[in-house]
């Protein structure tokens, strides 16, 4: 068989390694074999390719030193930085919050893991826990991970030596240029060179190819030049309407913290591409980010109308139902995911919780057992945490205590577990232990209101009004609508202002 | 059970327990549904893991080679 | 800065008055002699002979250290703390830290910011600067109190009392400190003394609280009555008084006070909670729900509130809504056995025995000595076809509670149904004697269904033809059957004694939780008629979704998914669990 044909076949079967090896052999024989060269470039790219639209991670530097913001304090409901008032969203006391003050989503994408902390202090404090670590800037964080392929030293040096490449020559040859660009961008993760190539290439086609404009925008986006990215994408869209271009454009707007504009653009896109689920999902994500659950669920349901197998939509809707007192409905959605073949610890954990709260006790333990056997280390802690809740539900305090202990053993930064351990210790009357646990919880996740409030309430009872006051203040900061904290704070203020 | 026709039903209280007052108590953290991972994220994590493995392997090889060379 | 100050000075030519005013405010009580500020040793300002000013009057002379006190005071009362602090800093720098007033205000600000320790240190500096001021001492004592150093605080207050006689503040605060030290006798003494100096709401409240801590409800009621007379528009005190009346069973008075509280503040959550619970006890579910709706806006995460709402729906026979609310309450407070009890009861009523069993066993884990829980558990186990464990549960119930007739009756029913007539007779006799005791205490108690069941069982056992309860019950049943509307219950009949157990527990801060062998609140024994669910009026707080509507249709479909949620499996599992209820889950 023709080796090139075979290589091509490998490529199409996504056996990138074999394809690369084969191409390497071909290139050894004939270093000027353009077909083999292109194929090898594409195979190497394919190994590390991830959908760029989905990759989004903001570093601390971008967040805090964001020079694109116009106003420090935005009107409510127009910014992703200040999560909205929460239309139809369950309160923080019912649905746990992520550090950014947003409800924990039903689905995790790169970029939803952190969220923006409000201040520099907080931003620097948060990465203290290993599992919520956030890169200092996105340039060093996960993007590096994207380019890890380039960091591994290959025995005979890199495949393409970028420094010695004559970009002008390649830019003029469209058949090679596109593959080369993707290689530089994805495999080498060298945005600057990629940008140079793209700029030359788009010039050589007299700015008539929308593809190059989108690639230029990708580079600008990575370099933080959002306005340039926006310009390129708009120009690309006038030439040729593509879903991808719409998605990138919205990504730019989200980064510029203009969620409403982003939704507008998504809707324009939907006029052209009706029922496109990626666009619908985008809208839903933005509403979810703004804590506007009514709209988010509405759009996720729209997504399901067009694609009833959409994992993200199902998971998010299920989460919403669970936290709005409808575990039975959530169970239905999660079961659907199970039928679709999603099979991991997270899902079984969720199924277990739903079963328990929907009073299907016979399945609860089976689900959790399966979750424990499937979960990885990080998830394992959370699974134990939830089993602890089941134990609380059946009134077995000893078991609950052990479960929370196991949580902490698996992840010693698990603030929720510390808090609950504190509550259990308090029930046993061990005030000192309880204090220690609350303290641990406060330190590891200052964004949760529970440990602050518990600490404040405890200190108040013990007469230590000073620490109580400070803790209550932090609790109100973390959850401005928490009635008990506010009440406590009011009482303390009264105490202090009384002469 | 015998003579099921003559069964007499137990009576249940018509009123449950009520609270007259709300006492604030300590709060627990709520159970946590775990977010499912997107395909992209799973791939990213897999890639990172593999890369780490490879690096470790390479370092090991390098070490072994050095040892060989010394000995 | 200086310019601003200058204009201020010129504009207010009666500056001395301002200073005077300030002292009046700060000192809080008029103190005739302890006046630390300027007039005592005026340091004359060197006369600056500058350009002639257009002002008619010369600026009043002030000692240099105290020059800007009025400005500090002005900013302080306007709560402009930042500005205040910067002026204080200048002032202190100028005076070398000798300006007493600046230090004093600085300390006050620090306290407002919650930095008590630093504030204490500054107040101590004040006492060094001016040891004759009772005010400074009082502030030191107060800081010590806020830092929970009650003994030290009492000592300092004693010092202050020497400087300033008959001071309400000193006496009151000393009392509070004694209270924290659990020396109630002294505490009461001090606060009574304080009240004799000056009548003040907060002293009343504290005195009432101390009486409650001692468990002396009657005395507490007296105190609160005085307090309410003194300030009749304070909803907090009205509510507390109402709650106290409820505890001693004076429901009419309780309701009056709670009603007053709600007149002055219609959104007063505490008043709503307690008034609502009373309405509910007397079958006024719709009114109670309307009230709760107001409260639910203010405190959406209050488990007791959701519990009551749930039970109001239960009273209206809207079981699904009831379960939804109760489950929310349980989600918010998993340790709360009362909510679990209610959940068990509602599920029993809906004949969902497996779920009921689960909730009841959880409740028993949390509160192992409660007879009613065991009785309900017995009922649930009976229907889950586990007679052995059911019998055990009933036995527990009967031994734990010596008063409640229903327990004995249900036990008799169970024994009878399992074919043991002799045992049933025994329990039935026990029931009769319990009923008689209860009727003796309160002739209106007991509900028709109990009488009905009892007479049927009595007939089956061929006893009890001529018993006191029977004809009464028959009459009652006759009276009720023809008329469709529930007879209006006589307003606020005191329920059987012993109903206070729970309230006691709620009141005392750290519940001592002695196992109560008394009948707690619930039970059918108080005569309550549940209105039939005629009016399908839109109830105010309906949870948005009806979780069981799915259950009947699609959700329990037996897919190939591993959730065969049929009743069958429930039973098997639960029966296995039932043998080892405590061992629980893993």
């Amino acid at each position: 068989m023709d080796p090139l044909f075979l290589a091509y076949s490998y490529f199409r079967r996504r056996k990138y390694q074999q394809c690369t090896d084969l191409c390497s052999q071909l290139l050894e024989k004939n270093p000027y074999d353009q077909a083999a060269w292109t194929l090898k470039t594409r195979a190497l790219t394919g190994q590390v390719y991830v959908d760029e639209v989905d990759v989004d991670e903001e570093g601390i530097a971008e967040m805090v030193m964001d020079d694109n913001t116009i106003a420090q304090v935005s009107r409510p409901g127009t910014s992703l930085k200040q999560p909205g008032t929460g239309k139809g969203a369950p309160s923080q006391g019912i649905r746990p919050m992520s550090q950014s003050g947003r409800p924990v989503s039903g689905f995790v994408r790169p970029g939803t893991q952190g969220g923006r902390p409000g201040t520099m202090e907080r931003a620097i404090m948060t990465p203290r826990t290993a599992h919520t670590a956030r890169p200092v800037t996105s340039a060093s964080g996960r993007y590096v991970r994207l380019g890890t392929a380039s960091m591994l030293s290959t025995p005979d040096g890199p495949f393409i030596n970028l420094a010695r490449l004559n970009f002008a020559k390649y830019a003029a040859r469209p058949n090679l240029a596109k593959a080369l660009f993707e290689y530089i961008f994805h495999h080498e993760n060298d945005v600057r060179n990629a940008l140079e190539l793209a700029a030359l290439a788009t010039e050589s086609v007299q700015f008539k190819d929308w593809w190059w404009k989108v690639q230029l925008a990708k580079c600008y986006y990575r370099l933080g030049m959002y306005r340039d990215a926006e310009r390129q994408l708009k120009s690309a869209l006038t030439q040729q309407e593509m879903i991808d271009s719409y998605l990138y454009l919205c990504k730019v707007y989200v980064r510029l913290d203009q969620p409403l504009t982003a939704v507008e653009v998504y809707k324009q896109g939907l006029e052209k591409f009706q029922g496109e689920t990626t666009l619908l999902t985008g809208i839903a994500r933005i509403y979810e980010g703004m804590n506007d659950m009514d709209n988010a669920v509405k759009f996720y349901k729209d997504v399901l109308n067009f694609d009833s197998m959409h994992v993200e939509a199902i998971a998010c809707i299920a989460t919403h139902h669970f936290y709005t007192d409808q575990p039975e409905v959530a169970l239905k959605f999660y079961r659907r995911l199970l039928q679709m073949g999603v099979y991991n610890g997270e899902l079984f954990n969720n199924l277990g919780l739903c079963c328990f709260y929907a009073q299907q006790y016979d399945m609860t333990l089976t689900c959790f057992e399966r979750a424990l056997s499937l979960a990885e280390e990080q998830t394992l802690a959370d699974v134990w945490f939830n089993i602890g809740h089941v134990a609380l539900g059946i009134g077995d305090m000893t078991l609950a205590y052990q479960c929370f202990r196991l949580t902490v053993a698996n992840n010693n930064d698990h603030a929720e577990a510390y808090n609950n351990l504190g509550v259990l210790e308090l029930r046993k009357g061990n005030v000192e232990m309880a204090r220690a646990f609350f303290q641990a919880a406060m330190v590891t996740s200052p964004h949760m209101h529970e440990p602050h409030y518990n600490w404040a309430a405890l200190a108040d009872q013990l007469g230590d009004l000073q620490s109580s006051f400070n803790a209550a203040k932090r609790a109100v900061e973390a959850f401005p609508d928490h009635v008990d904290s506010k009440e406590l704070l009011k009482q303390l203020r009264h105490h202090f202002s009384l002469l | 059970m015998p003579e099921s026709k003559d069964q007499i039903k137990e009576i249940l209280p018509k009123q449950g327990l009520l609270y007259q007052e709300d006492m604030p108590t300590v709060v627990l953290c709520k159970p946590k549904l775990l977010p499912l991972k997107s395909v992209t994220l799973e791939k990213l994590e897999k890639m990172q893991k593999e890369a780490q493995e490879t690096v470790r392997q390479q370092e090991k090889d390098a070490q072994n080679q050095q040892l060989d060379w010394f000995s | 800065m200086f310019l601003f100050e200058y204009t201020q000075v010129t504009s207010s030519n009666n500056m001395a008055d301002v200073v005077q005013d300030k002292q009046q405010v700060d000192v809080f009580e008029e103190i005739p002699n302890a006046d630390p500020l300027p007039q005592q040793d005026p340091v004359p300002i060197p006369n600056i002979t500058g350009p002639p000013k257009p002002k008619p009057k010369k600026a009043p002379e002030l000692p240099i250290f105290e020059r800007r006190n009025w400005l500090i005071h002005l900013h302080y009362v306007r709560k402009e703390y930042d500005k205040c602090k910067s002026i204080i800093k200048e002032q202190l720098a100028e005076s070398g830290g000798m300006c007493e007033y600046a230090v004093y205000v600085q300390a006050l600000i620090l306290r407002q910011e919650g930095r008590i320790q630093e504030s204490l240190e500054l107040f101590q500096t004040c006492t060094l600067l001016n040891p004759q001021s009772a005010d400074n001492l009082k502030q030191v004592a107060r800081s010590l109190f806020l830092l929970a150093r009650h003994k030290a605080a009492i000592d300092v207050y004693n010092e202050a009392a020497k400087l300033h006689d008959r001071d309400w503040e000193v006496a009151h605060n000393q009392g509070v400190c004694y209270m924290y030290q659990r020396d109630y006798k002294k505490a009461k003494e001090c606060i009574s003394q304080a009240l004799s100096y000056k009548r003040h709401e907060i002293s009343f409240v504290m005195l009432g609280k101390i009486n409650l801590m001692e468990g002396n409800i009657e005395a507490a009621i007296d105190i609160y009555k005085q307090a309410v007379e003194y300030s009749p528009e304070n909803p907090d005190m009205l509510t507390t008084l109402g709650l106290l009346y409820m505890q001693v069973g004076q429901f009419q008075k309780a309701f009056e006070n709670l009603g007053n509280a709600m007149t002055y503040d219609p959104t007063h959550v505490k008043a709503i909670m307690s008034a609502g619970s009373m309405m509910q006890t007397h079958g006024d579910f719709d009114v109670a729900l309307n009230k709760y709706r107001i409260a639910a806006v203010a405190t959406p995460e209050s488990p007791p509130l959701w519990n009551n709402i749930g039970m109001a729906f239960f009273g209206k026979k809207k079981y699904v809504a009831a379960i939804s609310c109760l489950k929310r309450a349980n989600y918010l407070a998993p340790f709360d056995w009362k909510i679990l009890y209610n959940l068990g009861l509602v599920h029993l009523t809906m004949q969902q025995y497996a779920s009921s069993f689960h909730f009841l066993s959880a409740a028993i884990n949390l509160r192992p000595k409660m007879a009613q829980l065991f009785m309900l558990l017995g009922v649930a186990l009976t229907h889950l076809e586990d007679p052995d464990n059911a019998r055990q549960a009933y036995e527990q119930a009967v031994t734990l509670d010596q008063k409640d007739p229903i327990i004995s009756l249900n036990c008799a029913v169970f024994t009878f149904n399992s074919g043991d007539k002799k045992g049933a007779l025994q329990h039935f006799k026990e029931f009769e004697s319990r009923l008689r005791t209860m009727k003796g205490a309160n002739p209106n108690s007991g509900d028709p269904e109990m009488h009905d069941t009892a007479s049927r069982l009595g007939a089956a056992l061929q006893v009890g033809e001529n018993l006191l309860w029977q004809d009464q019950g028959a009459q009652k049943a006759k009276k009720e059957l023809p008329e469709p509307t529930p007879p209006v219950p006589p307003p606020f009949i005191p329920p059987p004694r012993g109903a206070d157990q729970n309230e006691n527990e709620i009141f005392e801060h750290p519940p001592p939780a002695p196992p109560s062998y008394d009948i707690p609140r619930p039970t059918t024994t108080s005569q309550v008629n549940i209105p039939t669910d005629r009016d399908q009026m839109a109830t105010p707080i309906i949870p948005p979704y009806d979780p069981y509507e799915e259950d009947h249709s699609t959700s329990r479909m037996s897919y190939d998914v591993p959730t065969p949620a049929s009743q069958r499996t429930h039973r098997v599992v639960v029966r296995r669990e039932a043998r080892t209820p405590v061992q629980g889950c893993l």
Side-chain angles (χ1 to χ4, degrees), chain A residues 239-439:
Chain A
Q239 251 170 17
Q240 174 78 38
E241 303 222 39
M242 292 298 283
I243 297 169
D244 250 17
S245 317
Y246 278 116
L247 291 175
Y248 279 121
L249 188 54
C250 292
K251 222 174 116 168
V252 170
Y253 283 126
V254 168
R255 185 52 71 88
L256 289 171
D257 197 19
Q258 300 183 5
L260 299 184
T261 320
V263 170
E264 227 19 71
V265 173
Y266 276 128
K267 284 185 177 159
Q268 278 169 29
L270 278 173
E271 274 165 28
K272 190 83 186 165
F273 304 95
Q274 273 171 17
E276 173 57 42
T277 50
T278 45
L279 295 173
L280 285 168
T281 318
I283 300 182
R285 282 179 192 173
I286 289 179
Y287 280 127
E288 197 182 35
M290 295 202 298
N291 210 358
D292 182 349
M293 282 301 159
D294 281 345
N295 268 320
V297 169
K298 190 176 140 243
F299 277 95
Y300 276 130
K301 284 194 171 151
D302 269 4
V303 173
L304 285 188
N305 278 339
F306 293 101
D307 174 6
S308 54
M309 304 271 278
H310 199 277
V311 179
E312 176 174 357
I314 296 177
C316 286
I317 295 176
T319 313
H320 178 72
H321 282 301
F322 181 83
Y323 287 116
T324 45
D325 299 324
Q326 303 164 27
E328 298 83 0
V329 185
L331 184 58
K332 261 168 67 178
F333 280 99
Y334 280 125
R335 278 198 330 214
R336 168 102 190 126
L337 283 178
L338 196 66
Q339 281 174 306
M340 283 164 43
V342 181
Y343 192 83
N344 55 29
E346 284 90 354
L347 181 61
F348 275 105
N349 168 73
N350 295 354
L351 276 169
L353 268 188
C354 289
C355 282
F356 181 72
Y357 284 97
Q359 290 158 256
Q360 310 223 345
Y361 304 118
D362 42 354
M363 286 315 296
T364 307
L365 291 181
T366 331
C367 287
F368 277 118
E369 269 166 21
R370 192 99 36 109
L372 283 177
S373 66
L374 286 173
E376 292 157 30
E377 191 193 355
Q378 269 185 44
T379 328
L380 205 56
D382 284 324
V383 177
W384 277 118
F385 175 73
N386 289 325
I387 297 177
H389 270 283
V390 173
L392 287 182
I394 59 171
D396 189 339
M397 296 300 138
T398 330
L399 179 63
Y401 193 87
Q402 282 164 348
C403 289
F404 293 135
R405 274 288 192 189
L406 277 168
T407 311
V408 176
N410 278 297
N411 170 7
N412 56 10
D413 290 325
H414 205 283
E416 290 100 329
Y418 280 124
N419 176 61
N420 290 1
L421 280 171
V423 174
L424 287 175
E425 287 289 356
L426 203 57
R427 278 180 60 86
K428 288 196 224 161
N430 299 339
V431 176
E432 280 315 307
M433 282 293 270
R435 275 168 75 103
F437 279 128
F438 290 145
Q439 178 114 38

Side-chain angles (χ1 to χ4, degrees), chain C residues 322-556:
Chain C
I323 288 181
S324 216
C325 293
L326 287 173
K327 274 172 79 178
R328 167 173 282 201
N330 178 238
Y331 179 83
L332 292 166
F335 297 129
D336 200 313
W337 66 272
K338 281 191 189 178
I339 298 169
L340 288 166
Y341 171 95
N342 288 338
L343 273 167
L345 176 62
V346 178
H347 279 97
L348 267 192
T349 317
M350 286 184 76
Q351 301 182 328
Q352 299 197 348
Y353 300 109
S355 295
S356 176
F357 167 82
H358 157 83
F359 289 117
L360 291 170
S361 78
I364 287 174
N365 276 342
L366 292 169
R367 194 177 165 95
K369 297 274 184 216
M370 165 91 183
Q372 273 78 9
L373 282 172
F374 279 103
M375 180 190 80
L376 293 186
L377 191 71
V379 178
L381 285 170
T382 312
H383 290 273
L384 290 169
E385 290 165 31
D386 187 351
D388 297 343
N389 283 316
R391 178 172 302 114
Q392 279 187 21
Y394 274 121
E395 275 163 15
Q396 278 279 357
V398 177
T399 38
L400 281 173
D401 186 302
Q402 315 288 346
K403 282 186 182 166
D404 192 351
I406 289 191
I407 295 179
S408 287
L409 182 59
N410 277 346
C411 191
V413 169
F414 169 76
T415 344
F416 174 73
N417 284 343
S418 52
D420 178 5
K421 281 201 176 180
K422 221 169 145 194
L425 194 60
Q426 211 176 332
H427 285 296
F428 191 73
K429 291 226 166 98
E430 171 71 21
F431 158 71
E432 284 175 336
S433 80
R434 283 184 184 195
L435 186 66
R436 218 167 289 131
T437 340
M438 196 177 78
K439 294 269 183 196
N442 175 14
N444 284 322
S445 52
D447 78 325
E449 199 190 327
M450 180 171 77
H451 294 126
D452 188 42
T453 310
S455 56
R456 276 179 59 201
L457 185 62
L461 291 169
Q462 292 154 357
V463 286
E465 297 296 335
N466 47 1
L467 277 168
L468 133 126
W469 51 265
Q470 208 221 354
D471 35 8
Q472 257 194 7
Q475 271 172 15
K476 212 167 256 170
K478 235 178 261 167
K479 218 176 92 189
E480 254 151 52
L481 276 175
E483 47 181 334
T485 46
V488 181
F492 309 126
I493 326 145
R497 278 302 306 194
D500 305 333
Q501 199 71 31
N502 292 354
E503 283 89 313
N504 268 337
E505 187 184 307
I506 286 171
F507 263 92
E508 273 155 34
H509 224 289
S516 69
Y517 294 93
D518 247 351
I519 314 168
R521 169 140 215 101
T523 74
T524 50
T525 44
S526 73
Q527 189 212 33
V528 169
N529 296 296
I530 287 100
T532 43
D533 200 15
R534 255 169 287 103
D535 49 337
Q536 289 294 335
M537 148 203 156
T539 36
I541 315 150
I542 305 173
Y545 164 75
D546 182 349
Y548 290 88
E549 129 202 309
E550 309 277 327
D551 276 5
H552 304 305
S553 51
T554 44
S555 110
R556 305 234 170 188

Side-chain angles (χ1 to χ4, degrees), chain A residues 91 325 339 357 363 461 466, chain C residues 116-117 301 328 509 559 562:
Chain A
S91 92
D325 299 324
Q339 281 174 306
Y357 284 97
M363 286 315 296
Q461 298 251 304
Q466 177 172 291
Chain C
I116 314 285
Q117 184 64 44
E301 281 143 40
R328 167 173 282 201
H509 224 289
Y559 270 31

